[in-house]
Amino acid sequence: MTPGSTAAGKTVPAKAASGGTAAKKAASAKATSGEAAAGKAAAKTAGATRAAGKAVAKKTAGKTVAKKTAGKTVAKKAVGKTAAKQAVPVSAPAKKAASVRPVAALPRNESHTALVRRARRINRELAEVYPYAHPELDFENPFQLVVATVLSAQTTDLRVNQTTPALFARYPTPEDLAEANPEEVEEILRPTGFFRAKTKSVIGLSRALRDEFGGEVPGRLEDLVKLPGVGRKTAFVVLGNAFGRPGITVDTHFQRLVRRWQWTAETDPDKIEKAVGGLFPKSEWTMLSHHVIFHGRRICHARKPACGACPIAPLCPAYGEGETDPEKAKKLLKYEKGGFPGQRLNPPQAYLDAGGRPAPPLGAG
């Protein structure tokens, strides 16, 4: 078929045919370019939509973060307010709130380093309160001290001090007491309680001193604890106060206070001694014992501690177990802190200079 013919036999000019084909191609190209333009426009619109979506998401996320941050801030403020409320003794009258000693909120999970720092600070504070702290048993030599300490079990140092003058006047040396008539010793020791058992102990330790140590009190822990009636507590009292060798005296006051202060949770005296000893230099052990025991007898009592008059209240986790009102707490103070006699008939001069008064002899007043 030639360019100018069709199937029907009619002749169509070649120019016309080619023009139609060109027109179709132009239309097709135009349509294609239109579709491309539309596609580009659609892509542009989609891109704008995505960008807008991202902006909205970012803004929303920002608001969420801001809300969370604000929530945390509010929570912190609330916790702070709660801690502040807990730190103030609620039992004190509102009108006396200004006079109540502020109490620090101690961390529940206190590190060992923080515990050491707090424990040593308490000891420093007590050293300022009781610069005259001393053993509260009257004695003139190691023998008198070891006997007096054995007698102090289950009674007060005051009652021991009122009893030992008659005992040592009659039996001044280990040799004398070793040969004593038990019934006569029992009569002298009756005021101290458990006098039969105590008589057996002091006569027994006197015989041991006479027979095994030449009538002298030994200056070693391992030797002292072999004596009848002498345990680690008694041995450390003797070592620290008669020989100047450091030791921790874990009596009932010491046990009570170190648990209140959360220095240790142990209840066994030997374990308490080890735990507390690890918090202080060995050179401080003897005076630490005096400070703690003095505080336990004068302010931090077993049944009703005078919290409102306590100089270490801000460092004490047990603050509030006793009377927190300052005026009422002052009435609970004992010995020189309350204006009363102490436990020794012959106390050190430093104690007297600080305002302490000697105890009266047995049967006086």
Side-chain angles (χ1 to χ4, degrees):
M1 187 177 291
T2 61
S5 66
T6 64
K10 293 183 179 181
T11 301
V12 179
K15 185 176 182 181
S18 62
T21 302
K24 287 180 180 179
K25 289 181 178 179
S28 176
K30 188 175 182 180
T32 303
S33 64
E35 289 175 0
K40 289 181 179 179
K44 188 175 182 181
T45 303
T49 303
R50 284 196 296 272
K54 288 181 179 179
V56 171
K58 188 175 182 181
K59 189 174 182 181
T60 304
K63 289 182 179 180
T64 303
V65 172
K67 286 182 179 179
K68 287 183 178 179
T69 304
K72 289 180 180 179
T73 303
V74 171
K76 286 182 179 179
K77 288 183 178 180
V79 172
K81 289 181 180 179
T82 302
K85 288 181 179 179
Q86 291 176 346
V88 178
V90 295
S91 60
K95 63 180 180 179
K96 294 184 179 180
S99 63
V100 175
R101 185 182 297 275
V103 181
L106 301 175
R108 291 183 179 179
N109 298 319
E110 187 177 36
S111 68
H112 180 73
T113 300
L115 171 60
V116 170
R117 289 174 179 170
R118 183 168 62 86
R120 294 185 182 185
R121 184 179 172 188
I122 287 176
N123 188 38
R124 290 195 300 271
E125 295 282 347
L126 294 180
E128 293 183 5
V129 177
Y130 311 107
Y132 47 79
H134 57 273
E136 294 192 271
L137 289 169
D138 282 325
F139 70 98
E140 296 177 356
N141 54 57
F143 170 64
Q144 290 187 1
L145 180 58
V146 70
V147 170
T149 307
V150 169
L151 296 179
S152 68
Q154 304 298 318
T155 190
T156 64
D157 287 356
L158 170 60
R159 184 49 57 93
V160 174
N161 291 336
Q162 292 173 329
T163 305
T164 51
L167 179 70
F168 295 138
R170 189 159 185 174
Y171 311 105
T173 68
E175 291 81 1
D176 295 325
L177 191 53
E179 298 296 331
N181 182 330
E183 293 182 356
E184 293 179 358
V185 176
E186 286 178 3
E187 283 304 310
I188 295 174
L189 301 185
R190 186 179 293 272
T192 67
F194 303 96
F195 57 93
R196 291 190 178 88
K198 290 179 180 180
T199 295
K200 184 177 180 180
S201 292
V202 297
I203 291 179
L205 73 84
S206 297
R207 288 174 178 170
L209 291 176
R210 179 196 63 187
D211 299 339
E212 299 176 29
F213 298 100
E216 299 292 332
V217 176
R220 298 195 312 163
L221 176 65
E222 54 267 36
D223 292 330
L224 285 169
V225 295
K226 294 178 182 178
L227 301 175
V230 177
R232 289 180 68 88
K233 184 196 84 170
T234 298
F236 281 130
V237 170
V238 175
L239 290 174
N241 298 288
F243 294 97
R245 297 177 183 174
I248 294 178
T249 304
V250 185
D251 70 350
T252 55
H253 301 289
F254 194 94
Q255 292 183 49
R256 180 177 72 254
L257 268 61
V258 298
R259 286 198 295 269
R260 279 181 176 170
W261 296 336
Q262 294 184 12
W263 289 3
T264 180
E266 299 290 352
T267 56
D268 179 75
D270 291 349
K271 292 181 179 179
I272 291 174
E273 175 198 324
K274 183 178 180 180
V276 175
L279 303 177
F280 296 89
K282 192 173 182 179
S283 59
E284 297 182 10
W285 287 358
T286 299
M287 287 309 299
L288 167 70
S289 300
H290 291 325
H291 296 154
V292 175
I293 294 171
F294 255 59
H295 192 62
R297 286 174 172 166
R298 286 150 179 78
I299 295 178
C300 196
H301 312 136
R303 296 182 180 178
K304 198 170 184 180
C307 294
C310 181
I312 60 166
L315 301 170
C316 180
Y319 177 86
E321 286 188 8
E323 181 58 65
T324 57
D325 181 85
E327 295 303 319
K328 292 180 180 179
K330 286 181 181 179
K331 298 178 181 179
L332 300 175
L333 302 181
K334 295 183 179 179
Y335 304 113
E336 77 282 353
K337 291 299 179 183
F340 304 111
Q343 300 204 72
R344 290 188 67 164
L345 278 67
N346 300 299
Q349 188 60 44
Y351 176 77
L352 299 175
D353 293 341
R357 290 190 288 168
L362 188 64

